[in-house]
Amino acid sequence: MRTALLSDVHGNEAALDAVLEDIQSNRVSAIVMLGDISYRGPKPSECLEKVRTHCDYVIKGNADEWAVRGIHAGEVPAEAIELMRAEQTFTAGHLSEDQRAYLHHLPSSLELPLSNKRQLYAVHATPESLFTVIPKHAEDEAFQAFGSANPRADYYAYGHIHDPHYRRINGKSIINTGSVGLPFDGSPEASYVLLDRDDDVHVQFRRVPYDIDRAVQDLSDTGYPAEAVPLLRYIYENGSRPV
């Protein structure tokens, strides 16, 4: 059996469609979404409904929290907050009351059996916070909170940093899925992870090309805040943030 782990769609329906199609072609038995579904992209409602339809397990990310209650001072750099609040207004305005309630009530973590002997523990950022950043090249000690929060697990998964990676620490596996809709690792292709589940668990990172022109056009067609369009277009086309 196979489990798909995906995260950080950020309202990019074109990327999500491509990933869901790839998942379908790989005969996946369960899909796990690690948060950041709607905010910061042109198709917040459409992406949320596809996640609700296709994903078996969904947890909350910081952008899901922002979509519902807004962005507080101090949560993002001061020079970015005006732009990001304009994007939040767009997102919230395209979500129904039911959709906002769904995001609000999402759990912040998930424990899932992968086999008779292996457990997965998943969060968006860290077990303690939706916002804390643990980068790809962090020291092993930065991941201690995962084991402390759930010592039973053999595999720990998170999203949030938009930069896929894998490492082993004291016999445990740490997996970052990368981002479906806003990759930051230099490849514009959508990123997600497959876990092949037999007597053991095998981790496979997947990169999926998608119609970037469609995603860029969606920014215009939906009336996404004009001041944010150059940034998102750059990320869609380059798979990284502007320097």
Side-chain angles (χ1 to χ4, degrees):
M1 295 189 294
R2 286 175 170 165
T3 296
L5 307 178
L6 54 154
S7 188
D8 296 274
V9 175
H10 290 285
N12 187 339
E13 185 184 29
L16 179 59
D17 284 346
V19 166
L20 291 174
E21 182 177 350
D22 193 71
I23 287 172
Q24 185 175 20
S25 72
N26 278 284
R27 302 184 306 279
V28 166
S29 58
I31 303 176
V32 180
M33 166 60 67
L34 304 185
D36 282 11
I37 301 163
S38 297
Y39 170 70
R40 191 154 249 198
K43 292 294 191 76
S45 176
E46 293 86 347
C47 288
L48 181 52
E49 286 310 302
K50 288 180 179 181
V51 165
R52 293 176 75 170
T53 298
H54 295 287
C55 293
D56 301 282
Y57 306 94
V58 183
I59 61 176
K60 184 187 291 189
N62 62 295
D64 306 311
E65 185 84 347
W66 283 340
V68 175
R69 55 88 159 155
I71 302 170
H72 296 168
E75 291 179 337
V76 300
E79 62 271 19
I81 195 165
E82 184 176 349
L83 172 64
M84 295 181 71
R85 282 177 170 169
E87 294 177 277
Q88 191 277 337
T89 298
F90 172 90
T91 301
H94 284 75
L95 297 175
S96 68
E97 183 176 348
D98 173 71
Q99 289 174 322
R100 292 192 297 272
Y102 173 83
L103 291 175
H104 176 67
H105 291 293
L106 284 174
S108 59
S109 65
L110 168 72
E111 184 175 5
L112 182 69
L114 296 176
S115 69
N116 289 334
K117 299 179 180 179
R118 306 295 185 193
Q119 297 272 346
L120 171 73
Y121 179 66
V123 297
H124 178 69
T126 74
E128 301 157 332
S129 169
L130 298 175
F131 298 91
T132 300
V133 174
I134 302 181
K136 182 175 185 174
H137 301 296
E139 298 293 331
D140 287 353
E141 290 74 16
F143 295 95
Q144 287 181 348
F146 286 78
S148 298
N150 193 315
R152 297 180 301 278
D154 307 281
Y155 291 82
Y156 299 95
Y158 76 114
H160 192 49
I161 63 171
H162 301 214
D163 191 1
H165 69 92
Y166 173 86
R167 74 170 76 185
R168 296 274 291 173
I169 303 174
N170 298 325
K172 309 277 189 172
S173 294
I174 305 289
I175 303 164
N176 188 283
T177 62
S179 172
V180 171
L182 285 177
F184 290 166
D185 66 330
S187 169
E189 295 181 339
S191 176
Y192 80 100
V193 168
L194 285 178
L195 302 179
D196 287 292
R197 303 155 53 194
D198 44 42
D199 291 335
D200 203 348
V201 177
H202 308 279
V203 180
Q204 178 187 161
F205 286 86
R206 301 283 297 174
R207 298 311 291 254
V208 183
Y210 73 95
D211 189 345
I212 292 172
D213 289 340
R214 173 189 158 194
V216 172
Q217 187 61 46
D218 284 343
L219 294 169
S220 298
D221 291 347
T222 60
Y224 202 75
E227 60 271 33
V229 169
L231 171 63
L232 293 189
R233 179 171 185 164
Y234 185 94
I235 297 171
Y236 292 167
E237 294 177 344
N238 296 280
S240 63
R241 290 172 287 194
V243 177

